[in-house]
Amino acid sequence: MKHWRRRARRTAIGLAALLGIVAIVDRLDPPPLARATAAGGSVVLAADGSPLRAFADERGIWRYRVGRHQVSPAYLQALIAYEDRWFHHHPGVNPLAIVRALGQALASGRVVSGGSTLTMQVARMLEPIPRTPLGKARQAWRALQIEWRLDKDEILDLYLTLAPFGGTIEGVQAASHAYLGKSADGLSDAEAALLVVLPQAPSRLRPDRHPEAAQRARDKVIARMVSQGLWEPARAEAARIEQVAARRLVAPMRAPLLAERLRRESGEAVIATTIEARIQERIEQRVSALLRRLPERNSVAIMVVEHASMAVQAYVGSADLNDPERAGHVDMVRAPRSPGSTLKPFVYAMALDDGLIHSASLMIDAPQSFDGYQPSNFAERFQGPVSVRQALRMSLNVPAVDLLDRTGPVRFAASLEHAGLKLRMPEGAQPNLSLILGGAATTLEELLGAYAALAREGMAAQPRFLPASPLRERRLMSAESAFIVRTLLERAPADSYATREFDTASRTQLAWKTGTSYGYRDSWAIGVTPSHLVGVWIGRPDGTPQPGQFGAVTALPVLVEVVDGLPAPRRPRLSAPPAGVAQVEICWPLGLAASDTAPEHCHRRLDALTLAGTIPPTLPDRRSEGWSTPLLRYWKDPGSGRRHNQSCPHEPLEAVTVARWPALAYPWLSGPLRARSAIPDLAPGCAPDALGEGLRIAGLNNGAVLRHPPNRNGALRARVQALGSDGRVQWLLNERPHATSVGAEAVELAFAEDGEHRVIAIDSSGRHATISVRVLGTRPESSGALAQAAAVAARPSSAATPAW
């Protein structure tokens, strides 16, 4: 008994010593687990889990950390069954498997099966170990060390992350994205079996190079699953039918600039986004086709947002990432650029909320000076009296500047910035009236966030790129003004812009606005559909002017193509009119409800969308130094029809009230309309008053016919004067600015085309004079008309002057 105890004591001491030695060796030579936690590559995923862009680590290895919960259960089941069915029971080394492998090798003279457990394979993945008997022993030792430190689930996660899959691909997640174009949690049975066997011989079994060998090896895994009773024969047969079809190992490159942006901002190995892969791919294909039509060095930026959630579904930051000639590395979605006229809807919304206008309010598009700032139109033609609807749709500059002047540029800029759209101005500059015409810079991303207010009942919102990102929104306008402005931007068939290539008339649920920056540097088109926001920018990143490239011709066709490629909206229209919006018939020139306007004062009836039950009258005339009220009362002699004033009392006199148009509208009014608000001449003996003073054009008579002298080329020229004003006089020829004079200074008119011409003179107080002349010459009269018609047709906003 004592002998047995002494022997047991010696054995225990020996074991303790052995364990102590093992512990010391283990501490002196621990397994290199640091590689398992080292930063690897990263991948940015679309909403469906497909890769948008993959980034290798500093060694060029494509590896993304993945856990067992992120992998298909079929893959985990097949991996354990095929590689190490006793994985959850052994301490890291399976002696029976090693003995079996040695026996098979001695009997056949070659390696028939491996004896390595999954833990031993992880050990070889963590550090290079030679394939020799001594190396095998070291591999087993490392496996034991790993099992002492990690549990089985953690060891399995290491295998899933580090397993070699050929080339520079490591880990099942990277392999699944690289070969199959999907996440590892969506593997089919056949795909799972393929990825299980691939690490056994990554080079020989690469499915992109050796699909037949890969399929034979895969089928062995499927057979093993059946032999172990894990898969039913029918399930296995369905897996065998599936052909091995791997993609070429080309790094995915969709939405590359967005992927780079999110990788820098996130730092995560796997970044899931809201990008819809099919929409993104379709738009990138359209951009590739577009490049064949664009001038060289032009780039393109497009963003598509689902406005209910503000999830960004497509993001094209440049024309081609790898094209240095087009500055493809510059993300033009985020680049500050002049927005041109794309801010105009917001000033109309502000004016609606301020109670200044309704949708049919009378605006005047005519030469005006706003403390020295004198805007003109893109088409260099003035339209005269227009409604708010027409002014916004035709993107007229003077009405927009007029409204910004009344609402205040500082307040306007602050409102936009509060909603997320920052207007970037030169250092030290203050917001001014040029803002509404593109006199500051913003980004496509911020612009779409502001346009979201038109679709989201007045709430602007920040576009979201990640599913987990919170929705950040702020009110920019009321729900009522959002509805009205969006309705104004939805083109009806009668006034849609259309060309042979595309037609917006059939897309009445598409509200759109274009913009062109000064010098034709930037072309914009922004669209709002019942489900999406779409923004398009085209131009040169270096800001070089490009005459002939503008929003309606360059960017709008692309917008329409993108909208046509989007999924059909679930609802045909966004929403019903809010309770505060009503349609009312109003009258010009007063702008009030027809029911509240005397018939003699209602010169023209229009349907208007009004807000909050208010019907604002026509804005006061800012330029007239004479009369200032839209309803003018004077005294008339019923016998002679002449007007009398306080200087010449007469009996009997009758009081007459007329509705007056704004002074700057008169040059564009038809004869009958002018007659309805005309003021009679003063009776003889009456002292002149402000109502009787007018402007007169001298040098040409109204209705004159001019002929080109024989054998003389070039424009026919004539000299005229404006009499009755001491101030600055603006001259228009066919509604386009032509010259400026002071007082009675003579001006030379140049008639370049045969046909009818209108000459308009307007002084600084709003007084005006208009004459029409006819020019004849040796050229066929139709040639000038055709040339003029062609020039008008070439520009969408150069519509013919309304015949009021």
Side-chain angles (χ1 to χ4, degrees):
M1 186 68 176
K2 292 181 180 180
H3 173 75
W4 180 85
R5 288 178 178 175
R6 286 195 300 270
R7 187 172 181 180
R9 188 179 301 114
R10 286 196 299 269
T11 301
I13 292 172
L15 287 174
L18 178 61
L19 290 175
I21 294 172
V22 169
I24 292 172
V25 173
D26 176 66
R27 175 162 296 190
L28 294 176
D29 184 28
L33 295 176
R35 180 171 181 261
T37 59
S42 57
V43 62
V44 181
L45 306 178
D48 63 357
S50 62
L52 295 174
R53 186 178 181 183
F55 299 89
D57 65 11
E58 65 278 1
R59 298 174 298 121
I61 300 297
W62 304 89
R63 170 167 57 86
Y64 319 117
R65 295 187 64 182
V66 63
R68 58 201 174 280
H69 300 301
Q70 299 168 288
V71 177
S72 163
Y75 175 83
L76 296 176
Q77 184 186 39
L79 176 67
I80 300 298
Y82 191 75
E83 289 288 349
D84 188 359
R85 64 186 300 187
W86 305 109
F87 172 69
H88 290 287
H89 306 286
H90 61 65
V93 177
N94 188 346
L96 295 177
I98 294 176
V99 170
R100 185 193 69 241
L102 288 174
Q104 291 174 339
L106 292 174
S108 62
R110 62 184 179 85
V111 176
V112 177
S113 63
S116 297
T117 64
L118 282 177
T119 310
M120 293 174 67
Q121 293 181 50
V122 168
R124 188 182 294 279
M125 296 170 191
L126 291 173
E127 65 176 333
I129 298 176
R131 296 182 180 276
T132 63
L134 186 60
K136 200 70 172 179
R138 180 172 179 79
Q139 185 181 6
W141 163 246
R142 286 300 196 204
L144 294 172
Q145 288 181 294
I146 292 171
E147 292 273 354
W148 295 337
R149 287 169 169 80
L150 304 176
D151 62 30
K152 291 293 185 178
D153 288 340
E154 293 171 324
I155 295 170
L156 184 58
D157 288 349
L158 286 182
Y159 180 91
L160 299 177
T161 300
L162 301 175
F165 283 88
T168 57
I169 306 298
E170 288 186 0
V172 66
Q173 188 71 280
S176 183
H177 286 307
Y179 291 118
L180 305 173
K182 61 169 59 176
S183 177
D185 61 359
L187 298 174
S188 66
D189 289 343
E191 292 167 338
L194 173 65
L195 295 187
V196 163
V197 76
L198 189 52
Q200 287 194 349
S203 298
R204 182 169 53 84
L205 298 178
R206 273 184 57 168
D208 61 322
R209 294 181 179 176
H210 311 289
E212 295 84 1
Q215 186 157 331
R216 288 194 295 270
R218 180 206 67 181
D219 289 347
K220 290 182 180 179
V221 177
I222 296 174
R224 179 77 58 86
M225 300 301 290
V226 175
S227 65
Q228 293 185 13
L230 298 174
W231 287 2
E232 295 293 334
R235 179 180 179 183
E237 185 61 28
R240 287 192 191 95
I241 293 174
E242 189 174 320
Q243 294 294 314
V244 171
R247 308 186 317 166
R248 292 180 56 200
L249 281 186
V250 177
M253 194 61 69
R254 293 180 295 178
L257 290 175
L258 174 63
E260 174 67 24
R261 168 183 174 179
L262 296 179
R263 182 180 73 95
R264 291 181 177 180
E265 294 176 355
S266 170
E268 299 291 332
V270 179
I271 305 170
T273 73
T274 60
I275 297 295
E276 292 293 333
R278 291 185 179 180
I279 297 177
Q280 178 72 29
E281 186 173 357
R282 188 179 298 119
I283 292 177
E284 289 183 353
Q285 291 172 351
R286 292 183 183 276
V287 170
S288 296
L290 174 65
L291 293 184
R292 295 192 290 268
R293 308 197 306 264
L294 284 181
E296 61 181 10
R297 300 182 184 274
N298 267 238
S299 192
V300 181
I302 300 174
M303 194 158 80
V304 177
V305 180
E306 193 276 311
H307 52 62
S309 65
M310 291 305 292
V312 177
Q313 296 187 341
Y315 187 111
V316 175
S318 69
D320 184 351
L321 179 67
N322 299 315
D323 189 345
E325 292 294 319
R326 299 183 186 274
H329 63 286
V330 179
D331 188 351
M332 299 309 298
V333 168
R334 306 176 71 192
R337 307 290 293 200
S338 166
S341 296
T342 58
L343 300 182
K344 288 177 180 175
F346 305 122
V347 76
Y348 283 93
M350 180 175 285
L352 281 164
D353 283 330
D354 285 353
L356 296 178
I357 59 173
H358 48 67
S359 71
S361 289
L362 174 60
M363 308 294 295
I364 304 301
D365 181 44
Q368 297 191 52
S369 177
F370 301 88
D371 294 328
Y373 182 55
Q374 301 174 21
S376 60
N377 284 323
F378 177 79
E380 300 179 351
R381 164 174 286 191
F382 293 101
Q383 304 296 325
V386 292
S387 67
V388 162
R389 179 191 300 269
Q390 292 170 311
L392 179 55
R393 289 184 172 183
M394 298 172 70
S395 198
L396 300 177
N397 289 342
V398 174
V401 173
D402 186 7
L403 290 180
L404 182 60
D405 187 45
R406 297 176 191 271
T407 55
V410 174
R411 175 178 167 231
F412 178 72
S415 175
L416 290 177
E417 184 166 357
H418 174 77
L421 192 159
K422 182 179 180 180
L423 295 176
R424 299 156 179 85
M425 292 168 283
E427 185 176 357
Q430 295 297 316
N432 54 62
L433 297 180
S434 70
L435 291 182
I436 203 63
L437 305 184
T442 188
T443 69
L444 178 59
E445 182 176 333
E446 293 178 1
L447 201 55
L448 278 188
Y451 266 82
L454 300 182
R456 306 182 74 256
E457 298 183 342
M459 300 297 290
Q462 182 178 339
R464 297 169 52 249
F465 302 104
L466 307 177
S469 297
L471 178 61
R472 295 185 174 93
E473 57 183 357
R474 286 188 173 181
R475 182 160 297 284
L476 178 57
M477 61 188 73
S478 68
E480 290 79 7
S481 64
F483 175 85
I484 293 174
V485 171
R486 188 181 73 243
T487 301
L488 298 183
L489 293 175
E490 290 178 345
R491 302 300 200 262
D495 56 6
S496 277
Y497 176 78
T499 72
R500 289 176 297 177
E501 296 182 1
F502 72 100
D503 180 11
T504 60
S506 60
R507 303 175 180 88
T508 54
Q509 79 268 17
L510 171 62
W512 54 269
K513 182 73 185 74
T514 60
T516 307
S517 66
Y518 177 77
Y520 303 93
R521 290 172 169 83
D522 306 272
S523 298
W524 299 85
I526 310 295
V528 182
T529 79
S531 56
H532 289 86
L533 302 165
V534 180
V536 177
W537 172 90
I538 298 177
R540 284 184 54 159
D542 61 6
T544 301
Q546 300 184 98
Q549 300 292 319
F550 51 93
V553 164
T554 306
L556 182 57
V558 179
L559 172 74
V560 173
E561 289 181 8
V562 171
V563 170
D564 284 349
L566 294 177
R570 297 178 181 177
R571 47 183 178 172
R573 303 197 70 83
L574 266 168
S575 61
V581 173
Q583 182 167 309
V584 179
E585 187 179 45
I586 62 96
C587 285
W588 279 4
L590 302 182
L592 300 175
S595 59
D596 298 332
T597 304
E600 64 271 20
H601 298 156
C602 187
H603 298 180
R604 187 177 178 215
R605 295 172 179 265
L606 296 92
D607 288 329
L609 294 175
T610 61
L611 188 153
T614 61
I615 305 176
T618 297
L619 294 171
D621 196 321
R622 65 170 68 240
R623 296 187 54 179
S624 177
E625 296 173 359
W627 64 271
S628 59
T629 175
L631 281 178
L632 179 65
R633 191 181 188 205
Y634 65 89
W635 297 93
K636 183 180 74 170
D637 179 356
S640 66
R642 295 296 186 96
R643 183 168 56 87
H644 287 253
N645 57 26
Q646 292 179 349
S647 68
C648 52
H650 179 78
E651 292 293 341
L653 291 177
E654 65 177 15
V656 180
T657 303
V658 296
R660 295 282 292 180
W661 291 70
L664 292 177
Y666 278 87
W668 282 267
L669 297 180
S670 64
L673 280 183
R674 281 199 298 268
R676 292 187 67 174
S677 57
I679 306 297
D681 293 337
L682 282 169
C686 294
D689 56 21
L691 296 181
E693 295 179 359
L695 201 63
R696 183 170 61 87
I697 295 176
L700 283 176
N701 293 327
N702 186 39
V705 177
L706 309 178
R707 291 184 179 273
H708 281 278
N711 303 320
R712 181 181 296 180
N713 297 322
L716 179 64
R717 300 180 183 276
R719 294 175 67 84
V720 293
Q721 295 173 284
L723 304 181
S725 176
D726 295 328
R728 180 176 177 273
V729 178
Q730 177 79 42
W731 293 85
L732 306 182
L733 180 58
N734 299 324
E735 287 75 45
R736 288 189 171 94
H738 188 76
T740 301
S741 62
V742 177
E745 179 184 357
V747 167
E748 186 177 80
L749 302 178
F751 301 100
E753 301 286 346
D754 293 344
E756 294 287 343
H757 296 270
R758 291 184 75 217
V759 180
I760 301 173
I762 304 175
D763 73 359
S764 57
S765 63
R767 294 178 301 175
H768 56 85
T770 303
I771 63 172
S772 294
V773 299
R774 184 176 179 82
V775 176
L776 302 178
T778 58
R779 291 166 295 174
E781 196 171 308
S782 59
S783 63
L786 289 174
Q788 189 175 19
V792 170
R795 292 185 177 181
S797 58
S798 300
T801 305
W804 300 120

